[in-house]
Amino acid sequence: MKKSNVDRLITLEEFIIQGQNEFKGATGELSQLLRDIGLAAKIISREVNKAGITNILGVDGSRNVHGENVKKLDIFSNDQMLHALSRSNIVCMVVSEEDDGIIRMQSSSGRYIVHMDPLDGSSNIDVNVSIGTIFSIFMRNSDPADYPTDDDALQKGTKQVAGGYVLYGSSTILVYTTGVGVNMFTLDPSIGEFFLSEKNIQIPEEGTIYSVNEGNYNTWSPGLKKYIAYCKENDKKTNRPYTSRYIGSMVADVHRTLLKGGIFIYPESRKLPNGKLRLMYECNPISYIIEQAGGLSMDQNGRRVMEIEPTHIHQRAPIYVGSKKNVQNCIEHLKKYPKEEPRFIEKAELQ
Ligand code: AHG
Ligand code: MN
Ligand code: MN
């Protein structure tokens, strides 16, 4: 196992306060918000770990706003996150994968807006595979004396003040950035404390793992087909064929990519012209983390995902994210091979 680059025990709380002290003029609100999220993460982690024995697993019978089956843990996680975000009266609005509209919090004068995927990878719950929580934090543009506007919730990813995820895996870890590097914390469940386990994480410049749902191969662009064929070719000098890994929980697939390098792709396709993943609470925070770690996150045109101007809180975006060299190479393939004409697209697929 890789040795940690942290030489003494530092709790998440300590670390956040240290970081705050380094920022002149910081009010402590963002620090408080991160601590609140840390608390929700511990509660969700506890529930995830005992899911099998409390019969919380499985579909609760209802559907979320995207018509997908909602699992009980999705609802639990959504409630816990909302509760945590209302604790300190600093969040005025929340956008959640589980709620159709913008959630206006009681503290309308709060300066922060949070976008979240309370439980990512929910199809993996029933089979005991890693799942996660993703969050993205913005500051509002409107005057806190007024009611926040919808536009406050529709800012580009480059405007994020913090982004992160929690991974409920063989251990529970929290990874976040506030724009000064990426740090990782591991939960010690016996004392309920997150400890810094890796500071200033850097993604390898190049990796040998590609991660994409290959079942969708027939719906891909010619460029992506060519790139994946390249990944499978035999070439000792470039360590090919690459290894293929796909968990089906974005948080878990991206976390592996962050630590080991390589590329994670959820592409645009004939079936899903904008991909599947949501810009505001999946693609943006993940892009922020990976870019802060020295990697790249782009759309099919080689544009930074965080530069996409949002028009809808639940909009989707294609994503090609990971080690710099792998992403550059993939985008070059996409550009080199022209696009097919899209077939007739069903209205339902465009949502
Ligand atoms: P969620 O559980 O929040 O709906 O997200 C699931 C997402 C993401 O975690 C994962 O990368 C992707 O769905 C997998 O999709 P496919 O099954 O289409 O590969
Ligand atoms: Mn998700
Ligand atoms: Mn989800």
Side-chain angles (χ1 to χ4, degrees), residues 152-172:
D152 286 323
L154 285 175
Q155 302 186 45
K156 285 200 293 193
T158 49
K159 301 274 185 211
Q160 289 172 102
V161 292
Y165 59 78
V166 185
L167 174 63
Y168 312 102
S170 48
S171 54
T172 293

Side-chain angles (χ1 to χ4, degrees), residues 97 117 119-122 213 246 248-250 266 276-277 282:
E97 187 192 31
D117 180 353
L119 204 76
D120 175 65
S122 41
N213 184 342
Y246 191 73
S249 292
M250 185 194 204
Y266 210 108
K276 175 185 181 188
L277 300 176
E282 291 180 318

Side-chain angles (χ1 to χ4, degrees), residues 271-330:
K271 199 168 106 197
L272 297 164
N274 292 315
K276 175 185 181 188
L277 300 176
R278 312 286 168 172
L279 174 64
M280 300 305 289
Y281 40 82
E282 291 180 318
C283 300
N284 270 339
I286 293 299
S287 302
Y288 196 18
I289 297 269
I290 296 292
E291 282 198 8
Q292 279 291 315
L296 290 176
S297 180
M298 307 214 154
D299 69 6
Q300 74 277 29
N301 302 312
R303 188 170 52 147
R304 282 172 79 201
V305 166
M306 289 200 292
E307 288 287 358
I308 298 175
E309 199 70 64
T311 54
H312 190 275
I313 52 171
H314 294 298
Q315 84 187 61
R316 301 173 194 266
I319 187 166
Y320 298 77
V321 59
S323 295
K324 211 172 177 171
K325 287 201 170 154
N326 299 72
V327 176
Q328 277 167 345
N329 190 1
C330 178

Side-chain angles (χ1 to χ4, degrees), residues 78-115:
N78 196 39
D79 292 349
Q80 288 304 324
M81 283 294 284
L82 281 174
H83 183 68
L85 297 174
S86 65
R87 286 179 52 140
S88 312
N89 291 324
I90 46 187
V91 177
C92 60
M93 296 195 301
V94 176
V95 169
S96 166
E97 187 192 31
E98 301 303 334
D99 283 277
D100 199 356
I102 297 172
I103 303 161
R104 286 169 189 276
M105 308 292 270
Q106 225 166 17
S107 45
S108 59
S109 60
R111 296 196 302 153
Y112 291 91
I113 296 138
V114 179
H115 293 254

